[in-house]
mmCIF file of all heavy atoms in Angstrom:
data_model
loop_
_atom_site.group_PDB
_atom_site.id
_atom_site.type_symbol
_atom_site.label_atom_id
_atom_site.label_comp_id
_atom_site.label_asym_id
_atom_site.label_seq_id
_atom_site.Cartn_x
_atom_site.Cartn_y
_atom_site.Cartn_z
ATOM 1 N N ARG A 138 19.413 -8.724 9.507
ATOM 2 C CA ARG A 138 18.143 -8.800 8.732
ATOM 3 C C ARG A 138 17.402 -7.496 8.706
ATOM 4 O O ARG A 138 17.627 -6.633 9.567
ATOM 5 C CB ARG A 138 17.290 -9.958 9.256
ATOM 6 C CG ARG A 138 16.991 -9.914 10.700
ATOM 7 C CD ARG A 138 16.043 -11.050 11.153
ATOM 8 N NE ARG A 138 15.958 -11.193 12.556
ATOM 9 C CZ ARG A 138 15.033 -10.444 13.257
ATOM 10 N NH1 ARG A 138 14.355 -9.493 12.709
ATOM 11 N NH2 ARG A 138 14.947 -10.662 14.571
ATOM 12 N N PRO A 139 16.425 -7.342 7.766
ATOM 13 C CA PRO A 139 15.674 -6.180 7.716
ATOM 14 C C PRO A 139 14.911 -5.937 9.007
ATOM 15 O O PRO A 139 14.499 -6.891 9.663
ATOM 16 C CB PRO A 139 14.698 -6.384 6.520
ATOM 17 C CG PRO A 139 15.326 -7.441 5.720
ATOM 18 C CD PRO A 139 16.045 -8.297 6.703
ATOM 19 N N GLY A 140 14.609 -4.639 9.327
ATOM 20 C CA GLY A 140 13.937 -4.306 10.524
ATOM 21 C C GLY A 140 12.967 -3.115 10.189
ATOM 22 O O GLY A 140 12.016 -3.294 9.463
ATOM 23 N N TRP A 141 13.333 -1.924 10.730
ATOM 24 C CA TRP A 141 12.475 -0.797 10.554
ATOM 25 C C TRP A 141 12.731 -0.136 9.168
ATOM 26 O O TRP A 141 13.771 -0.223 8.565
ATOM 27 C CB TRP A 141 12.822 0.327 11.567
ATOM 28 C CG TRP A 141 12.719 -0.071 12.961
ATOM 29 C CD1 TRP A 141 12.015 -1.111 13.537
ATOM 30 C CD2 TRP A 141 13.238 0.660 14.110
ATOM 31 N NE1 TRP A 141 12.096 -1.077 14.864
ATOM 32 C CE2 TRP A 141 12.858 0.018 15.287
ATOM 33 C CE3 TRP A 141 14.056 1.814 14.208
ATOM 34 C CZ2 TRP A 141 13.199 0.466 16.578
ATOM 35 C CZ3 TRP A 141 14.438 2.223 15.515
ATOM 36 C CH2 TRP A 141 13.947 1.573 16.631
ATOM 37 N N GLU A 142 11.721 0.543 8.707
ATOM 38 C CA GLU A 142 11.901 1.479 7.583
ATOM 39 C C GLU A 142 12.296 2.844 8.265
ATOM 40 O O GLU A 142 11.602 3.295 9.146
ATOM 41 C CB GLU A 142 10.537 1.716 6.870
ATOM 42 C CG GLU A 142 10.206 0.553 5.914
ATOM 43 C CD GLU A 142 11.178 0.556 4.694
ATOM 44 O OE1 GLU A 142 11.635 1.589 4.310
ATOM 45 O OE2 GLU A 142 11.397 -0.528 4.150
ATOM 46 N N VAL A 143 13.341 3.377 7.776
ATOM 47 C CA VAL A 143 13.840 4.646 8.418
ATOM 48 C C VAL A 143 13.722 5.741 7.303
ATOM 49 O O VAL A 143 14.342 5.632 6.258
ATOM 50 C CB VAL A 143 15.274 4.547 8.858
ATOM 51 C CG1 VAL A 143 15.728 5.908 9.488
ATOM 52 C CG2 VAL A 143 15.375 3.445 9.916
ATOM 53 N N GLU A 144 12.940 6.808 7.658
ATOM 54 C CA GLU A 144 12.761 7.952 6.688
ATOM 55 C C GLU A 144 14.106 8.681 6.652
ATOM 56 O O GLU A 144 14.753 8.935 7.719
ATOM 57 C CB GLU A 144 11.715 8.862 7.221
ATOM 58 C CG GLU A 144 10.391 8.216 7.454
ATOM 59 C CD GLU A 144 9.711 7.868 6.120
ATOM 60 O OE1 GLU A 144 10.063 8.564 5.105
ATOM 61 O OE2 GLU A 144 8.939 6.952 6.068
ATOM 62 N N PRO A 145 14.493 9.120 5.415
ATOM 63 C CA PRO A 145 15.742 9.907 5.223
ATOM 64 C C PRO A 145 15.810 11.103 6.218
ATOM 65 O O PRO A 145 16.843 11.476 6.660
ATOM 66 C CB PRO A 145 15.711 10.298 3.793
ATOM 67 C CG PRO A 145 14.879 9.261 3.139
ATOM 68 C CD PRO A 145 13.904 8.779 4.180
ATOM 69 N N ARG A 146 14.649 11.703 6.443
ATOM 70 C CA ARG A 146 14.622 13.011 7.223
ATOM 71 C C ARG A 146 14.877 12.660 8.773
ATOM 72 O O ARG A 146 15.223 13.570 9.530
ATOM 73 C CB ARG A 146 13.300 13.745 7.109
ATOM 74 C CG ARG A 146 12.067 12.990 7.675
ATOM 75 C CD ARG A 146 10.875 13.880 7.756
ATOM 76 N NE ARG A 146 9.671 13.082 8.055
ATOM 77 C CZ ARG A 146 8.971 12.453 7.176
ATOM 78 N NH1 ARG A 146 9.324 12.434 5.879
ATOM 79 N NH2 ARG A 146 7.903 11.727 7.526
ATOM 80 N N ASP A 147 14.820 11.438 9.152
ATOM 81 C CA ASP A 147 15.098 11.031 10.504
ATOM 82 C C ASP A 147 16.574 10.677 10.684
ATOM 83 O O ASP A 147 16.941 10.270 11.759
ATOM 84 C CB ASP A 147 14.215 9.828 10.917
ATOM 85 C CG ASP A 147 12.741 10.211 10.977
ATOM 86 O OD1 ASP A 147 12.471 11.422 11.317
ATOM 87 O OD2 ASP A 147 11.856 9.400 10.648
ATOM 88 N N ILE A 148 17.293 10.754 9.606
ATOM 89 C CA ILE A 148 18.759 10.452 9.707
ATOM 90 C C ILE A 148 19.586 11.565 9.848
ATOM 91 O O ILE A 148 19.451 12.560 9.039
ATOM 92 C CB ILE A 148 19.141 9.561 8.465
ATOM 93 C CG1 ILE A 148 18.374 8.267 8.410
ATOM 94 C CG2 ILE A 148 20.644 9.241 8.529
ATOM 95 C CD1 ILE A 148 18.719 7.416 7.178
ATOM 96 N N ALA A 149 20.466 11.652 10.826
ATOM 97 C CA ALA A 149 21.411 12.774 10.966
ATOM 98 C C ALA A 149 22.793 12.298 10.667
ATOM 99 O O ALA A 149 23.103 11.120 10.658
ATOM 100 C CB ALA A 149 21.282 13.300 12.428
ATOM 101 N N ARG A 150 23.738 13.273 10.442
ATOM 102 C CA ARG A 150 24.977 13.008 9.968
ATOM 103 C C ARG A 150 26.012 13.838 10.738
ATOM 104 O O ARG A 150 25.729 14.991 11.073
ATOM 105 C CB ARG A 150 25.100 13.351 8.461
ATOM 106 C CG ARG A 150 26.363 13.006 7.836
ATOM 107 C CD ARG A 150 26.295 13.314 6.368
ATOM 108 N NE ARG A 150 27.443 12.750 5.681
ATOM 109 C CZ ARG A 150 27.602 12.725 4.326
ATOM 110 N NH1 ARG A 150 26.665 13.180 3.611
ATOM 111 N NH2 ARG A 150 28.657 12.190 3.828
ATOM 112 N N SER A 151 27.196 13.313 10.974
ATOM 113 C CA SER A 151 28.221 14.015 11.795
ATOM 114 C C SER A 151 29.636 13.438 11.513
ATOM 115 O O SER A 151 29.711 12.404 10.900
ATOM 116 C CB SER A 151 27.948 14.010 13.267
ATOM 117 O OG SER A 151 28.441 12.748 13.786
ATOM 118 N N PRO A 152 30.613 14.117 12.011
ATOM 119 C CA PRO A 152 31.930 13.482 11.915
ATOM 120 C C PRO A 152 32.057 12.212 12.828
ATOM 121 O O PRO A 152 31.191 12.028 13.731
ATOM 122 C CB PRO A 152 32.905 14.573 12.564
ATOM 123 C CG PRO A 152 32.197 15.865 12.332
ATOM 124 C CD PRO A 152 30.711 15.511 12.452
ATOM 125 N N ARG A 153 32.934 11.350 12.493
ATOM 126 C CA ARG A 153 33.136 10.095 13.263
ATOM 127 C C ARG A 153 33.787 10.389 14.614
ATOM 128 O O ARG A 153 34.411 11.401 14.896
ATOM 129 C CB ARG A 153 34.000 9.128 12.490
ATOM 130 C CG ARG A 153 33.285 8.691 11.214
ATOM 131 C CD ARG A 153 34.234 7.811 10.341
ATOM 132 N NE ARG A 153 35.324 8.645 9.788
ATOM 133 C CZ ARG A 153 36.235 8.130 8.894
ATOM 134 N NH1 ARG A 153 36.128 6.900 8.438
ATOM 135 N NH2 ARG A 153 37.105 8.920 8.399
ATOM 136 N N ILE A 154 33.421 9.481 15.615
ATOM 137 C CA ILE A 154 33.790 9.696 16.981
ATOM 138 C C ILE A 154 34.998 8.936 17.428
ATOM 139 O O ILE A 154 35.156 7.826 16.957
ATOM 140 C CB ILE A 154 32.573 9.295 17.844
ATOM 141 C CG1 ILE A 154 31.428 10.254 17.708
ATOM 142 C CG2 ILE A 154 32.979 9.210 19.328
ATOM 143 C CD1 ILE A 154 30.149 9.878 18.544
ATOM 144 N N GLY A 155 35.846 9.520 18.228
ATOM 145 C CA GLY A 155 36.938 8.781 18.880
ATOM 146 C C GLY A 155 38.114 8.492 17.992
ATOM 147 O O GLY A 155 38.992 7.704 18.368
ATOM 148 N N ILE A 156 38.169 9.118 16.787
ATOM 149 C CA ILE A 156 39.328 8.920 15.860
ATOM 150 C C ILE A 156 40.221 10.169 15.836
ATOM 151 O O ILE A 156 39.771 11.234 16.274
ATOM 152 C CB ILE A 156 38.900 8.583 14.418
ATOM 153 C CG1 ILE A 156 37.961 9.689 13.952
ATOM 154 C CG2 ILE A 156 38.154 7.313 14.362
ATOM 155 C CD1 ILE A 156 37.605 9.624 12.482
ATOM 156 N N ARG A 157 41.421 9.958 15.453
ATOM 157 C CA ARG A 157 42.381 11.143 15.406
ATOM 158 C C ARG A 157 42.638 11.615 14.030
ATOM 159 O O ARG A 157 43.022 12.721 13.870
ATOM 160 C CB ARG A 157 43.638 10.655 16.063
ATOM 161 C CG ARG A 157 43.368 10.024 17.404
ATOM 162 C CD ARG A 157 44.623 9.850 18.282
ATOM 163 N NE ARG A 157 45.462 11.041 18.279
ATOM 164 C CZ ARG A 157 46.446 11.223 19.078
ATOM 165 N NH1 ARG A 157 46.726 10.287 20.004
ATOM 166 N NH2 ARG A 157 47.242 12.302 19.044
ATOM 167 N N ARG A 158 42.463 10.750 13.047
ATOM 168 C CA ARG A 158 42.712 11.134 11.693
ATOM 169 C C ARG A 158 41.341 11.347 10.899
ATOM 170 O O ARG A 158 40.404 10.768 11.281
ATOM 171 C CB ARG A 158 43.489 10.065 10.916
ATOM 172 C CG ARG A 158 44.768 9.630 11.593
ATOM 173 C CD ARG A 158 45.316 8.313 11.006
ATOM 174 N NE ARG A 158 46.372 7.774 11.731
ATOM 175 C CZ ARG A 158 47.720 8.024 11.618
ATOM 176 N NH1 ARG A 158 48.043 8.819 10.668
ATOM 177 N NH2 ARG A 158 48.543 7.397 12.411
ATOM 178 N N ALA A 159 41.451 12.219 9.927
ATOM 179 C CA ALA A 159 40.242 12.479 9.087
ATOM 180 C C ALA A 159 38.994 12.829 9.913
ATOM 181 O O ALA A 159 37.862 12.345 9.611
ATOM 182 C CB ALA A 159 39.936 11.270 8.177
ATOM 183 N N THR A 160 39.206 13.727 10.883
ATOM 184 C CA THR A 160 38.088 14.007 11.781
ATOM 185 C C THR A 160 37.065 15.025 11.129
ATOM 186 O O THR A 160 36.045 15.273 11.721
ATOM 187 C CB THR A 160 38.642 14.791 13.017
ATOM 188 O OG1 THR A 160 39.511 15.790 12.720
ATOM 189 C CG2 THR A 160 39.426 13.761 13.869
ATOM 190 N N ASP A 161 37.443 15.464 9.934
ATOM 191 C CA ASP A 161 36.491 16.279 9.256
ATOM 192 C C ASP A 161 35.428 15.603 8.399
ATOM 193 O O ASP A 161 34.384 16.148 8.078
ATOM 194 C CB ASP A 161 37.252 17.276 8.311
ATOM 195 C CG ASP A 161 38.141 16.480 7.328
ATOM 196 O OD1 ASP A 161 38.762 15.479 7.737
ATOM 197 O OD2 ASP A 161 38.189 16.890 6.170
ATOM 198 N N LEU A 162 35.717 14.342 8.050
ATOM 199 C CA LEU A 162 34.700 13.641 7.231
ATOM 200 C C LEU A 162 33.422 13.301 7.987
ATOM 201 O O LEU A 162 33.529 12.744 9.117
ATOM 202 C CB LEU A 162 35.363 12.403 6.712
ATOM 203 C CG LEU A 162 36.620 12.517 5.798
ATOM 204 C CD1 LEU A 162 37.085 11.135 5.359
ATOM 205 C CD2 LEU A 162 36.267 13.428 4.606
ATOM 206 N N GLU A 163 32.349 13.575 7.377
ATOM 207 C CA GLU A 163 31.035 13.305 8.046
ATOM 208 C C GLU A 163 30.576 11.943 7.661
ATOM 209 O O GLU A 163 29.767 11.789 6.729
ATOM 210 C CB GLU A 163 30.033 14.378 7.705
ATOM 211 C CG GLU A 163 30.535 15.823 8.199
ATOM 212 C CD GLU A 163 29.359 16.646 8.586
ATOM 213 O OE1 GLU A 163 28.316 16.711 7.847
ATOM 214 O OE2 GLU A 163 29.442 17.421 9.530
ATOM 215 N N LEU A 164 31.123 10.901 8.322
ATOM 216 C CA LEU A 164 30.663 9.526 7.938
ATOM 217 C C LEU A 164 29.976 8.835 9.044
ATOM 218 O O LEU A 164 29.930 7.600 9.029
ATOM 219 C CB LEU A 164 31.998 8.775 7.507
ATOM 220 C CG LEU A 164 32.595 9.289 6.179
ATOM 221 C CD1 LEU A 164 33.877 8.606 5.867
ATOM 222 C CD2 LEU A 164 31.512 9.093 5.002
ATOM 223 N N ARG A 165 29.532 9.555 9.966
ATOM 224 C CA ARG A 165 28.701 8.930 11.064
ATOM 225 C C ARG A 165 27.220 9.244 10.804
ATOM 226 O O ARG A 165 26.853 10.383 10.442
ATOM 227 C CB ARG A 165 29.118 9.497 12.389
ATOM 228 C CG ARG A 165 28.134 9.145 13.573
ATOM 229 C CD ARG A 165 28.780 9.636 14.867
ATOM 230 N NE ARG A 165 27.942 9.452 16.021
ATOM 231 C CZ ARG A 165 27.238 10.423 16.722
ATOM 232 N NH1 ARG A 165 27.439 11.710 16.245
ATOM 233 N NH2 ARG A 165 26.452 10.204 17.744
ATOM 234 N N PHE A 166 26.372 8.238 10.896
ATOM 235 C CA PHE A 166 24.969 8.448 10.631
ATOM 236 C C PHE A 166 24.157 7.819 11.764
ATOM 237 O O PHE A 166 24.567 6.775 12.287
ATOM 238 C CB PHE A 166 24.586 7.717 9.326
ATOM 239 C CG PHE A 166 25.358 8.162 8.077
ATOM 240 C CD1 PHE A 166 26.580 7.511 7.806
ATOM 241 C CD2 PHE A 166 24.857 9.195 7.305
ATOM 242 C CE1 PHE A 166 27.317 7.962 6.802
ATOM 243 C CE2 PHE A 166 25.610 9.614 6.230
ATOM 244 C CZ PHE A 166 26.861 9.018 5.975
ATOM 245 N N PHE A 167 23.147 8.502 12.214
ATOM 246 C CA PHE A 167 22.359 7.983 13.271
ATOM 247 C C PHE A 167 20.851 8.516 13.221
ATOM 248 O O PHE A 167 20.656 9.418 12.505
ATOM 249 C CB PHE A 167 22.926 8.429 14.615
ATOM 250 C CG PHE A 167 23.110 9.914 14.840
ATOM 251 C CD1 PHE A 167 22.149 10.689 15.454
ATOM 252 C CD2 PHE A 167 24.238 10.585 14.295
ATOM 253 C CE1 PHE A 167 22.318 11.972 15.654
ATOM 254 C CE2 PHE A 167 24.386 11.923 14.456
ATOM 255 C CZ PHE A 167 23.489 12.648 15.130
ATOM 256 N N ILE A 168 20.024 7.765 13.914
ATOM 257 C CA ILE A 168 18.639 8.104 13.890
ATOM 258 C C ILE A 168 18.401 9.231 14.934
ATOM 259 O O ILE A 168 18.699 9.061 16.143
ATOM 260 C CB ILE A 168 17.791 6.846 14.267
ATOM 261 C CG1 ILE A 168 17.968 5.819 13.076
ATOM 262 C CG2 ILE A 168 16.252 7.264 14.348
ATOM 263 C CD1 ILE A 168 17.139 4.584 13.289
ATOM 264 N N ARG A 169 17.826 10.328 14.482
ATOM 265 C CA ARG A 169 17.513 11.444 15.308
ATOM 266 C C ARG A 169 16.731 11.068 16.514
ATOM 267 O O ARG A 169 15.822 10.289 16.458
ATOM 268 C CB ARG A 169 16.740 12.455 14.517
ATOM 269 C CG ARG A 169 17.517 13.440 13.731
ATOM 270 C CD ARG A 169 16.613 14.423 13.085
ATOM 271 N NE ARG A 169 17.096 14.713 11.739
ATOM 272 C CZ ARG A 169 18.187 15.494 11.565
ATOM 273 N NH1 ARG A 169 18.877 15.945 12.522
ATOM 274 N NH2 ARG A 169 18.574 15.737 10.293
ATOM 275 N N ASP A 170 17.081 11.640 17.662
ATOM 276 C CA ASP A 170 16.239 11.517 18.892
ATOM 277 C C ASP A 170 16.191 10.081 19.415
ATOM 278 O O ASP A 170 15.328 9.832 20.274
ATOM 279 C CB ASP A 170 14.873 12.027 18.689
ATOM 280 C CG ASP A 170 14.858 13.472 18.210
ATOM 281 O OD1 ASP A 170 15.702 14.300 18.611
ATOM 282 O OD2 ASP A 170 13.969 13.876 17.280
ATOM 283 N N ASN A 171 17.020 9.190 18.908
ATOM 284 C CA ASN A 171 16.953 7.805 19.473
ATOM 285 C C ASN A 171 17.885 7.744 20.688
ATOM 286 O O ASN A 171 19.003 8.160 20.616
ATOM 287 C CB ASN A 171 17.400 6.791 18.428
ATOM 288 C CG ASN A 171 17.214 5.399 18.960
ATOM 289 O OD1 ASN A 171 17.861 4.867 19.788
ATOM 290 N ND2 ASN A 171 16.129 4.749 18.420
ATOM 291 N N PRO A 172 17.425 7.295 21.841
ATOM 292 C CA PRO A 172 18.185 7.312 23.088
ATOM 293 C C PRO A 172 19.333 6.298 23.031
ATOM 294 O O PRO A 172 20.125 6.314 23.934
ATOM 295 C CB PRO A 172 17.173 6.899 24.129
ATOM 296 C CG PRO A 172 16.164 6.152 23.416
ATOM 297 C CD PRO A 172 16.046 6.723 21.977
ATOM 298 N N HIS A 173 19.441 5.421 22.084
ATOM 299 C CA HIS A 173 20.547 4.447 22.082
ATOM 300 C C HIS A 173 21.693 4.833 21.160
ATOM 301 O O HIS A 173 22.508 4.034 20.762
ATOM 302 C CB HIS A 173 19.973 3.019 21.655
ATOM 303 C CG HIS A 173 18.823 2.611 22.620
ATOM 304 N ND1 HIS A 173 17.550 2.783 22.305
ATOM 305 C CD2 HIS A 173 18.902 2.091 23.801
ATOM 306 C CE1 HIS A 173 16.828 2.314 23.364
ATOM 307 N NE2 HIS A 173 17.586 1.853 24.247
ATOM 308 N N VAL A 174 21.715 6.112 20.809
ATOM 309 C CA VAL A 174 22.796 6.700 20.023
ATOM 310 C C VAL A 174 23.885 7.115 21.017
ATOM 311 O O VAL A 174 23.528 7.757 22.033
ATOM 312 C CB VAL A 174 22.353 7.858 19.184
ATOM 313 C CG1 VAL A 174 23.566 8.641 18.641
ATOM 314 C CG2 VAL A 174 21.344 7.393 18.118
#
Side-chain angles (χ1 to χ4, degrees):
Chain A
R138 54 179 171 81
W141 300 345
E142 282 291 329
V143 179
E144 303 290 334
R146 67 169 170 277
D147 293 328
I148 299 178
R150 183 175 191 174
S151 83
R153 295 172 291 186
I154 291 180
I156 56 170
R157 311 192 42 168
R158 305 169 194 267
T160 52
D161 55 319
L162 298 180
E163 299 208 322
L164 291 175
R165 171 174 175 250
F166 303 87
F167 57 96
I168 299 181
R169 272 182 217 290
D170 303 323
N171 188 288
H173 303 95
V174 169

